[in-house]
Amino acid sequence: MKVRKRALIVDDERLARSDLRALLERHPEIQIVGEAADVDEAIRQMTELDPDVVFLDVQMPRKSGFDLLSEIETTAQIVFVTAYDAHAIRAFDINALDYLLKPVSPERLQRTIARIVGSESASKPPAGERPLALDDHLFVTSNKRARFLKVHTISCLRGADDYTEIVLASGETVLMRRSLNEWERRLPEKHFVRIHRTAIVHLEFIKQLESAGDDTFLVFVEGLAEGLPISRRHAARLKATMS
């Protein structure tokens, strides 16, 4: 017998919680362990119940779904349930397990459940990943902590195989299982430049460019003590981009 996934529903509208509960109860893979009408209540229940998945509304009074994830560390999978249209969703769809648009359809929820229980589709990103804008938010999970990062606070990204280290201008780092090539495709190209097969930099946070000898240079950015390698050819292109 498969282990049921324990779910918490967070939505300030009682009718919305009731509708989602009715849909989820059709799926024996899911066990609803609680409901919360606001962020503070959700934090209490997440601490006490330790759910496997949270169906999280975005817009709620006083505190939003974004606020919840910035106030609590969790290993739960997050499924956003929102009335936002597809354009607004791009602000947070990069690493949440999935998102559902209200009113939630049974067919769409079925695909979400498949992702939750670990079917083949769970390894695939949500359909239609969109280019990111500088003022977008990234939803990331690192070291058992789920949180949001603003794209414009990223100083640089360093890649190794399928992993990327995100370096913020503050010096904080986040490690994610996502290749540098994927980031290059999604980050705003007017602001982020690939300077090496292992690095992407945010132009705004470049402090200086120094020669390292042998036709190579080092790029120094906010939040990172050591320089990032760049060839003379790429250095010339970078200078042209910044001029």
Side-chain angles (χ1 to χ4, degrees):
M1 181 177 177
K2 291 184 177 180
V3 177
R4 302 173 73 188
K5 296 291 185 178
R6 304 169 72 254
L8 175 68
I9 300 172
V10 182
D11 197 308
D12 63 295
E13 297 180 0
R14 182 187 60 79
L15 183 58
R17 297 197 305 273
S18 178
D19 287 345
L20 183 55
R21 172 181 280 272
L23 289 173
L24 288 171
E25 286 177 343
R26 302 178 189 177
H27 298 273
E29 311 96 319
I30 301 297
Q31 176 188 3
I32 301 170
V33 295
E35 295 183 11
D38 58 42
V39 167
D40 292 337
E41 183 181 351
I43 290 175
R44 288 194 295 272
Q45 293 206 36
M46 290 174 72
T47 301
E48 294 173 4
L49 302 172
D50 192 23
D52 301 305
V53 57
V54 178
F55 289 88
L56 179 61
D57 188 18
V58 175
Q59 291 182 305
M60 292 181 285
R62 292 182 292 119
K63 293 181 180 180
S64 69
F66 291 90
D67 295 323
L68 170 63
L69 295 175
S70 68
E71 292 183 21
I72 187 172
E73 295 184 4
T74 180
T75 58
Q77 297 170 314
I78 304 298
V79 176
F80 287 110
V81 185
T82 175
Y84 285 13
D85 61 19
H87 178 73
I89 286 172
R90 72 176 191 169
F92 50 80
D93 71 351
I94 185 172
N95 203 41
L97 177 77
D98 209 346
Y99 63 84
L100 297 169
L101 288 175
K102 297 179 179 178
V104 178
S105 72
E107 296 77 18
R108 184 63 181 84
L109 180 60
Q110 174 65 58
R111 296 200 297 273
T112 300
I113 298 301
R115 294 173 62 81
I116 291 171
V117 300
S119 69
E120 181 181 353
S121 61
S123 62
K124 298 178 182 179
E129 281 199 338
R130 302 164 183 83
L132 293 163
L134 201 60
D135 59 351
D136 279 347
H137 292 74
L138 302 176
F139 177 68
V140 301
T141 304
S142 179
N143 296 326
K144 297 185 178 181
R145 181 187 178 193
R147 59 177 297 195
F148 283 91
L149 301 178
K150 294 180 180 179
V151 172
H152 69 75
T153 66
I154 297 174
S155 177
C156 68
L157 303 95
R158 299 194 290 184
D161 298 323
D162 293 331
Y163 287 87
T164 299
E165 180 188 41
I166 302 173
V167 181
L168 306 184
S170 64
E172 185 180 359
T173 62
V174 177
L175 186 66
M176 285 188 63
R177 189 184 178 95
R178 182 174 286 260
S179 72
L180 209 60
N181 288 337
E182 292 178 80
W183 286 112
E184 186 177 19
R185 288 194 296 268
R186 298 207 63 199
L187 289 167
E189 60 182 13
K190 290 184 178 180
H191 303 279
F192 289 86
V193 176
R194 184 81 172 254
I195 63 167
H196 190 269
R197 61 181 178 81
T198 63
I200 295 173
V201 298
H202 186 172
L203 295 175
E204 180 181 342
F205 291 116
I206 293 177
K207 296 190 296 183
Q208 60 187 19
L209 187 65
E210 293 184 359
S211 173
D214 299 326
D215 243 17
T216 60
F217 291 79
L218 293 176
V219 178
F220 289 87
V221 297
E222 295 287 344
L224 193 65
E226 65 268 27
L228 298 167
I230 181 173
S231 69
R232 179 181 293 275
R233 178 173 61 87
H234 282 92
R237 188 176 66 177
L238 181 62
K239 290 178 179 179
T241 302
M242 297 176 65
S243 62

mmCIF file of all heavy atoms in Angstrom, residues 158-193:
data_model
loop_
_atom_site.group_PDB
_atom_site.id
_atom_site.type_symbol
_atom_site.label_atom_id
_atom_site.label_comp_id
_atom_site.label_asym_id
_atom_site.label_seq_id
_atom_site.Cartn_x
_atom_site.Cartn_y
_atom_site.Cartn_z
ATOM 1 N N ARG A 158 27.182 30.483 -10.448
ATOM 2 C CA ARG A 158 28.300 29.609 -10.798
ATOM 3 C C ARG A 158 27.780 28.187 -10.947
ATOM 4 O O ARG A 158 27.067 27.677 -10.086
ATOM 5 C CB ARG A 158 29.388 29.680 -9.730
ATOM 6 C CG ARG A 158 29.959 31.078 -9.564
ATOM 7 C CD ARG A 158 31.239 31.077 -8.758
ATOM 8 N NE ARG A 158 31.014 30.757 -7.349
ATOM 9 C CZ ARG A 158 31.968 30.770 -6.422
ATOM 10 N NH1 ARG A 158 33.209 31.088 -6.766
ATOM 11 N NH2 ARG A 158 31.709 30.476 -5.169
ATOM 12 N N GLY A 159 28.128 27.552 -12.060
ATOM 13 C CA GLY A 159 27.580 26.243 -12.351
ATOM 14 C C GLY A 159 28.597 25.130 -12.326
ATOM 15 O O GLY A 159 29.783 25.336 -12.589
ATOM 16 N N ALA A 160 28.113 23.932 -11.993
ATOM 17 C CA ALA A 160 28.906 22.705 -12.041
ATOM 18 C C ALA A 160 27.951 21.564 -12.345
ATOM 19 O O ALA A 160 27.100 21.231 -11.525
ATOM 20 C CB ALA A 160 29.631 22.457 -10.729
ATOM 21 N N ASP A 161 28.062 21.007 -13.538
ATOM 22 C CA ASP A 161 27.181 19.933 -13.983
ATOM 23 C C ASP A 161 25.726 20.398 -13.928
ATOM 24 O O ASP A 161 25.389 21.401 -14.519
ATOM 25 C CB ASP A 161 27.396 18.667 -13.144
ATOM 26 C CG ASP A 161 28.811 18.136 -13.290
ATOM 27 O OD1 ASP A 161 29.352 18.220 -14.414
ATOM 28 O OD2 ASP A 161 29.378 17.648 -12.305
ATOM 29 N N ASP A 162 24.886 19.688 -13.163
ATOM 30 C CA ASP A 162 23.466 20.024 -13.101
ATOM 31 C C ASP A 162 23.132 20.956 -11.945
ATOM 32 O O ASP A 162 21.960 21.208 -11.663
ATOM 33 C CB ASP A 162 22.622 18.749 -12.968
ATOM 34 C CG ASP A 162 22.687 17.886 -14.223
ATOM 35 O OD1 ASP A 162 22.873 18.457 -15.314
ATOM 36 O OD2 ASP A 162 22.554 16.661 -14.112
ATOM 37 N N TYR A 163 24.149 21.467 -11.260
ATOM 38 C CA TYR A 163 23.906 22.328 -10.106
ATOM 39 C C TYR A 163 24.379 23.751 -10.380
ATOM 40 O O TYR A 163 25.320 23.980 -11.146
ATOM 41 C CB TYR A 163 24.617 21.783 -8.864
ATOM 42 C CG TYR A 163 23.967 20.547 -8.295
ATOM 43 C CD1 TYR A 163 24.309 19.288 -8.777
ATOM 44 C CD2 TYR A 163 23.003 20.644 -7.289
ATOM 45 C CE1 TYR A 163 23.705 18.139 -8.256
ATOM 46 C CE2 TYR A 163 22.398 19.507 -6.774
ATOM 47 C CZ TYR A 163 22.755 18.255 -7.263
ATOM 48 O OH TYR A 163 22.157 17.135 -6.758
ATOM 49 N N THR A 164 23.712 24.696 -9.719
ATOM 50 C CA THR A 164 24.100 26.098 -9.813
ATOM 51 C C THR A 164 24.139 26.713 -8.422
ATOM 52 O O THR A 164 23.218 26.505 -7.616
ATOM 53 C CB THR A 164 23.112 26.901 -10.679
ATOM 54 O OG1 THR A 164 23.096 26.379 -12.005
ATOM 55 C CG2 THR A 164 23.506 28.364 -10.726
ATOM 56 N N GLU A 165 25.203 27.446 -8.157
ATOM 57 C CA GLU A 165 25.284 28.229 -6.934
ATOM 58 C C GLU A 165 24.860 29.654 -7.254
ATOM 59 O O GLU A 165 25.487 30.327 -8.064
ATOM 60 C CB GLU A 165 26.711 28.226 -6.371
ATOM 61 C CG GLU A 165 26.844 29.032 -5.088
ATOM 62 C CD GLU A 165 28.284 29.175 -4.641
ATOM 63 O OE1 GLU A 165 29.161 29.385 -5.504
ATOM 64 O OE2 GLU A 165 28.530 29.076 -3.423
ATOM 65 N N ILE A 166 23.783 30.098 -6.643
ATOM 66 C CA ILE A 166 23.309 31.471 -6.814
ATOM 67 C C ILE A 166 23.954 32.327 -5.740
ATOM 68 O O ILE A 166 23.834 32.046 -4.547
ATOM 69 C CB ILE A 166 21.773 31.544 -6.682
ATOM 70 C CG1 ILE A 166 21.093 30.635 -7.708
ATOM 71 C CG2 ILE A 166 21.289 32.984 -6.856
ATOM 72 C CD1 ILE A 166 19.596 30.519 -7.525
ATOM 73 N N VAL A 167 24.648 33.371 -6.161
ATOM 74 C CA VAL A 167 25.315 34.285 -5.222
ATOM 75 C C VAL A 167 24.565 35.605 -5.221
ATOM 76 O O VAL A 167 24.380 36.230 -6.268
ATOM 77 C CB VAL A 167 26.787 34.515 -5.617
ATOM 78 C CG1 VAL A 167 27.459 35.457 -4.610
ATOM 79 C CG2 VAL A 167 27.546 33.196 -5.708
ATOM 80 N N LEU A 168 24.101 36.023 -4.056
ATOM 81 C CA LEU A 168 23.402 37.293 -3.931
ATOM 82 C C LEU A 168 24.383 38.414 -3.631
ATOM 83 O O LEU A 168 25.490 38.172 -3.147
ATOM 84 C CB LEU A 168 22.350 37.211 -2.821
ATOM 85 C CG LEU A 168 21.335 36.070 -2.915
ATOM 86 C CD1 LEU A 168 20.309 36.191 -1.797
ATOM 87 C CD2 LEU A 168 20.646 36.058 -4.277
ATOM 88 N N ALA A 169 23.983 39.632 -3.911
ATOM 89 C CA ALA A 169 24.855 40.778 -3.674
ATOM 90 C C ALA A 169 25.197 40.907 -2.198
ATOM 91 O O ALA A 169 26.235 41.465 -1.836
ATOM 92 C CB ALA A 169 24.191 42.053 -4.175
ATOM 93 N N SER A 170 24.362 40.369 -1.333
ATOM 94 C CA SER A 170 24.604 40.408 0.115
ATOM 95 C C SER A 170 25.693 39.436 0.541
ATOM 96 O O SER A 170 26.169 39.489 1.673
ATOM 97 C CB SER A 170 23.315 40.063 0.864
ATOM 98 O OG SER A 170 22.911 38.730 0.581
ATOM 99 N N GLY A 171 26.079 38.505 -0.354
ATOM 100 C CA GLY A 171 27.067 37.488 -0.022
ATOM 101 C C GLY A 171 26.455 36.139 0.294
ATOM 102 O O GLY A 171 27.162 35.133 0.387
ATOM 103 N N GLU A 172 25.146 36.092 0.449
ATOM 104 C CA GLU A 172 24.458 34.830 0.718
ATOM 105 C C GLU A 172 24.464 33.968 -0.540
ATOM 106 O O GLU A 172 24.419 34.478 -1.663
ATOM 107 C CB GLU A 172 23.018 35.114 1.148
ATOM 108 C CG GLU A 172 22.239 33.877 1.564
ATOM 109 C CD GLU A 172 20.821 34.207 1.991
ATOM 110 O OE1 GLU A 172 20.467 35.407 1.984
ATOM 111 O OE2 GLU A 172 20.077 33.271 2.319
ATOM 112 N N THR A 173 24.517 32.646 -0.369
ATOM 113 C CA THR A 173 24.508 31.735 -1.508
ATOM 114 C C THR A 173 23.401 30.702 -1.353
ATOM 115 O O THR A 173 23.024 30.324 -0.244
ATOM 116 C CB THR A 173 25.851 31.002 -1.663
ATOM 117 O OG1 THR A 173 26.094 30.202 -0.504
ATOM 118 C CG2 THR A 173 26.997 32.000 -1.860
ATOM 119 N N VAL A 174 22.897 30.240 -2.498
ATOM 120 C CA VAL A 174 21.859 29.204 -2.539
ATOM 121 C C VAL A 174 22.261 28.202 -3.611
ATOM 122 O O VAL A 174 22.588 28.588 -4.742
ATOM 123 C CB VAL A 174 20.475 29.799 -2.877
ATOM 124 C CG1 VAL A 174 19.432 28.688 -2.979
ATOM 125 C CG2 VAL A 174 20.055 30.819 -1.824
ATOM 126 N N LEU A 175 22.241 26.920 -3.275
ATOM 127 C CA LEU A 175 22.593 25.877 -4.231
ATOM 128 C C LEU A 175 21.318 25.233 -4.761
ATOM 129 O O LEU A 175 20.450 24.833 -3.998
ATOM 130 C CB LEU A 175 23.465 24.813 -3.567
ATOM 131 C CG LEU A 175 24.022 23.727 -4.491
ATOM 132 C CD1 LEU A 175 25.012 24.336 -5.486
ATOM 133 C CD2 LEU A 175 24.708 22.634 -3.671
ATOM 134 N N MET A 176 21.207 25.139 -6.101
ATOM 135 C CA MET A 176 20.017 24.568 -6.727
ATOM 136 C C MET A 176 20.401 23.542 -7.776
ATOM 137 O O MET A 176 21.452 23.662 -8.421
ATOM 138 C CB MET A 176 19.173 25.659 -7.405
ATOM 139 C CG MET A 176 18.389 26.523 -6.456
ATOM 140 S SD MET A 176 17.256 27.601 -7.373
ATOM 141 C CE MET A 176 16.180 26.378 -8.152
ATOM 142 N N ARG A 177 19.546 22.542 -7.925
ATOM 143 C CA ARG A 177 19.746 21.553 -8.975
ATOM 144 C C ARG A 177 19.118 22.087 -10.261
ATOM 145 O O ARG A 177 17.956 21.807 -10.588
ATOM 146 C CB ARG A 177 19.130 20.206 -8.591
ATOM 147 C CG ARG A 177 19.494 19.094 -9.567
ATOM 148 C CD ARG A 177 18.788 17.793 -9.212
ATOM 149 N NE ARG A 177 19.102 16.758 -10.185
ATOM 150 C CZ ARG A 177 20.064 15.869 -10.052
ATOM 151 N NH1 ARG A 177 20.798 15.863 -8.964
ATOM 152 N NH2 ARG A 177 20.295 14.963 -10.981
ATOM 153 N N ARG A 178 19.862 22.872 -10.970
ATOM 154 C CA ARG A 178 19.429 23.476 -12.237
ATOM 155 C C ARG A 178 20.680 23.897 -12.976
ATOM 156 O O ARG A 178 21.549 24.537 -12.401
ATOM 157 C CB ARG A 178 18.489 24.655 -11.984
ATOM 158 C CG ARG A 178 17.937 25.315 -13.228
ATOM 159 C CD ARG A 178 16.902 26.358 -12.868
ATOM 160 N NE ARG A 178 15.655 25.751 -12.434
ATOM 161 C CZ ARG A 178 14.581 25.622 -13.209
ATOM 162 N NH1 ARG A 178 14.617 26.041 -14.444
ATOM 163 N NH2 ARG A 178 13.474 25.073 -12.734
ATOM 164 N N SER A 179 20.773 23.549 -14.231
ATOM 165 C CA SER A 179 22.000 23.821 -14.975
ATOM 166 C C SER A 179 22.129 25.303 -15.316
ATOM 167 O O SER A 179 21.137 26.037 -15.402
ATOM 168 C CB SER A 179 22.029 23.004 -16.268
ATOM 169 O OG SER A 179 21.109 23.509 -17.208
ATOM 170 N N LEU A 180 23.374 25.715 -15.545
ATOM 171 C CA LEU A 180 23.643 27.101 -15.909
ATOM 172 C C LEU A 180 23.018 27.436 -17.262
ATOM 173 O O LEU A 180 22.586 28.575 -17.492
ATOM 174 C CB LEU A 180 25.162 27.337 -15.939
ATOM 175 C CG LEU A 180 25.652 28.752 -15.620
ATOM 176 C CD1 LEU A 180 25.210 29.166 -14.222
ATOM 177 C CD2 LEU A 180 27.163 28.824 -15.719
ATOM 178 N N ASN A 181 22.952 26.466 -18.152
ATOM 179 C CA ASN A 181 22.322 26.691 -19.457
ATOM 180 C C ASN A 181 20.852 27.056 -19.312
ATOM 181 O O ASN A 181 20.331 27.906 -20.045
ATOM 182 C CB ASN A 181 22.460 25.458 -20.346
ATOM 183 C CG ASN A 181 23.873 25.253 -20.842
ATOM 184 O OD1 ASN A 181 24.668 26.190 -20.895
ATOM 185 N ND2 ASN A 181 24.217 24.022 -21.185
ATOM 186 N N GLU A 182 20.170 26.400 -18.373
ATOM 187 C CA GLU A 182 18.763 26.723 -18.127
ATOM 188 C C GLU A 182 18.615 28.148 -17.627
ATOM 189 O O GLU A 182 17.722 28.883 -18.047
ATOM 190 C CB GLU A 182 18.170 25.745 -17.119
ATOM 191 C CG GLU A 182 18.033 24.318 -17.623
ATOM 192 C CD GLU A 182 17.481 23.411 -16.539
ATOM 193 O OE1 GLU A 182 16.252 23.423 -16.341
ATOM 194 O OE2 GLU A 182 18.278 22.693 -15.895
ATOM 195 N N TRP A 183 19.507 28.539 -16.714
ATOM 196 C CA TRP A 183 19.457 29.911 -16.209
ATOM 197 C C TRP A 183 19.720 30.911 -17.326
ATOM 198 O O TRP A 183 19.068 31.966 -17.389
ATOM 199 C CB TRP A 183 20.490 30.096 -15.098
ATOM 200 C CG TRP A 183 20.124 29.462 -13.805
ATOM 201 C CD1 TRP A 183 20.729 28.384 -13.213
ATOM 202 C CD2 TRP A 183 19.068 29.831 -12.928
ATOM 203 N NE1 TRP A 183 20.112 28.077 -12.026
ATOM 204 C CE2 TRP A 183 19.094 28.943 -11.818
ATOM 205 C CE3 TRP A 183 18.097 30.833 -12.970
ATOM 206 C CZ2 TRP A 183 18.184 29.042 -10.769
ATOM 207 C CZ3 TRP A 183 17.191 30.926 -11.916
ATOM 208 C CH2 TRP A 183 17.240 30.034 -10.836
ATOM 209 N N GLU A 184 20.669 30.617 -18.172
ATOM 210 C CA GLU A 184 21.010 31.538 -19.257
ATOM 211 C C GLU A 184 19.814 31.774 -20.170
ATOM 212 O O GLU A 184 19.592 32.882 -20.658
ATOM 213 C CB GLU A 184 22.186 31.003 -20.064
ATOM 214 C CG GLU A 184 22.688 31.974 -21.129
ATOM 215 C CD GLU A 184 23.897 31.456 -21.866
ATOM 216 O OE1 GLU A 184 24.140 30.224 -21.827
ATOM 217 O OE2 GLU A 184 24.611 32.269 -22.484
ATOM 218 N N ARG A 185 19.023 30.728 -20.401
ATOM 219 C CA ARG A 185 17.840 30.864 -21.256
ATOM 220 C C ARG A 185 16.759 31.716 -20.610
ATOM 221 O O ARG A 185 15.993 32.369 -21.318
ATOM 222 C CB ARG A 185 17.269 29.484 -21.591
ATOM 223 C CG ARG A 185 18.100 28.680 -22.564
ATOM 224 C CD ARG A 185 17.327 27.493 -23.096
ATOM 225 N NE ARG A 185 16.974 26.535 -22.065
ATOM 226 C CZ ARG A 185 17.718 25.484 -21.732
ATOM 227 N NH1 ARG A 185 18.879 25.281 -22.355
ATOM 228 N NH2 ARG A 185 17.337 24.653 -20.791
ATOM 229 N N ARG A 186 16.689 31.726 -19.287
ATOM 230 C CA ARG A 186 15.564 32.368 -18.607
ATOM 231 C C ARG A 186 15.875 33.759 -18.058
ATOM 232 O O ARG A 186 14.979 34.600 -17.937
ATOM 233 C CB ARG A 186 15.071 31.474 -17.474
ATOM 234 C CG ARG A 186 14.547 30.130 -17.950
ATOM 235 C CD ARG A 186 13.521 29.590 -16.994
ATOM 236 N NE ARG A 186 12.364 30.449 -16.922
ATOM 237 C CZ ARG A 186 11.489 30.416 -15.921
ATOM 238 N NH1 ARG A 186 11.674 29.601 -14.915
ATOM 239 N NH2 ARG A 186 10.440 31.217 -15.931
ATOM 240 N N LEU A 187 17.112 34.032 -17.702
ATOM 241 C CA LEU A 187 17.440 35.324 -17.108
ATOM 242 C C LEU A 187 17.397 36.442 -18.155
ATOM 243 O O LEU A 187 17.709 36.214 -19.323
ATOM 244 C CB LEU A 187 18.824 35.269 -16.463
ATOM 245 C CG LEU A 187 18.922 34.436 -15.183
ATOM 246 C CD1 LEU A 187 20.376 34.197 -14.812
ATOM 247 C CD2 LEU A 187 18.173 35.109 -14.037
ATOM 248 N N PRO A 188 17.032 37.663 -17.751
ATOM 249 C CA PRO A 188 16.965 38.780 -18.707
ATOM 250 C C PRO A 188 18.333 39.091 -19.302
ATOM 251 O O PRO A 188 19.266 39.476 -18.577
ATOM 252 C CB PRO A 188 16.429 39.937 -17.865
ATOM 253 C CG PRO A 188 16.678 39.547 -16.447
ATOM 254 C CD PRO A 188 16.619 38.057 -16.395
ATOM 255 N N GLU A 189 18.461 38.937 -20.620
ATOM 256 C CA GLU A 189 19.771 39.025 -21.266
ATOM 257 C C GLU A 189 20.349 40.430 -21.255
ATOM 258 O O GLU A 189 21.559 40.606 -21.429
ATOM 259 C CB GLU A 189 19.673 38.519 -22.707
ATOM 260 C CG GLU A 189 18.704 39.282 -23.577
ATOM 261 C CD GLU A 189 18.618 38.690 -24.981
ATOM 262 O OE1 GLU A 189 19.108 37.572 -25.180
ATOM 263 O OE2 GLU A 189 18.060 39.370 -25.854
ATOM 264 N N LYS A 190 19.540 41.443 -21.034
ATOM 265 C CA LYS A 190 20.063 42.804 -20.956
ATOM 266 C C LYS A 190 20.818 43.048 -19.645
ATOM 267 O O LYS A 190 21.576 44.015 -19.533
ATOM 268 C CB LYS A 190 18.926 43.823 -21.089
ATOM 269 C CG LYS A 190 18.324 43.895 -22.474
ATOM 270 C CD LYS A 190 17.277 44.987 -22.548
ATOM 271 C CE LYS A 190 16.691 45.100 -23.933
ATOM 272 N NZ LYS A 190 15.666 46.169 -24.023
ATOM 273 N N HIS A 191 20.596 42.182 -18.676
ATOM 274 C CA HIS A 191 21.187 42.398 -17.354
ATOM 275 C C HIS A 191 22.175 41.301 -16.944
ATOM 276 O O HIS A 191 23.053 41.559 -16.125
ATOM 277 C CB HIS A 191 20.080 42.502 -16.305
ATOM 278 C CG HIS A 191 19.085 43.574 -16.580
ATOM 279 N ND1 HIS A 191 19.312 44.889 -16.269
ATOM 280 C CD2 HIS A 191 17.865 43.527 -17.166
ATOM 281 C CE1 HIS A 191 18.272 45.613 -16.631
ATOM 282 N NE2 HIS A 191 17.378 44.813 -17.173
ATOM 283 N N PHE A 192 22.019 40.090 -17.492
ATOM 284 C CA PHE A 192 22.873 38.974 -17.126
ATOM 285 C C PHE A 192 23.654 38.481 -18.334
ATOM 286 O O PHE A 192 23.077 38.282 -19.411
ATOM 287 C CB PHE A 192 22.037 37.824 -16.549
ATOM 288 C CG PHE A 192 21.476 38.104 -15.186
ATOM 289 C CD1 PHE A 192 20.269 38.784 -15.056
ATOM 290 C CD2 PHE A 192 22.145 37.706 -14.038
ATOM 291 C CE1 PHE A 192 19.734 39.052 -13.799
ATOM 292 C CE2 PHE A 192 21.620 37.974 -12.781
ATOM 293 C CZ PHE A 192 20.413 38.646 -12.663
ATOM 294 N N VAL A 193 24.969 38.279 -18.147
ATOM 295 C CA VAL A 193 25.852 37.912 -19.250
ATOM 296 C C VAL A 193 26.657 36.672 -18.880
ATOM 297 O O VAL A 193 27.217 36.588 -17.779
ATOM 298 C CB VAL A 193 26.818 39.067 -19.600
ATOM 299 C CG1 VAL A 193 27.794 38.635 -20.678
ATOM 300 C CG2 VAL A 193 26.030 40.287 -20.055
#
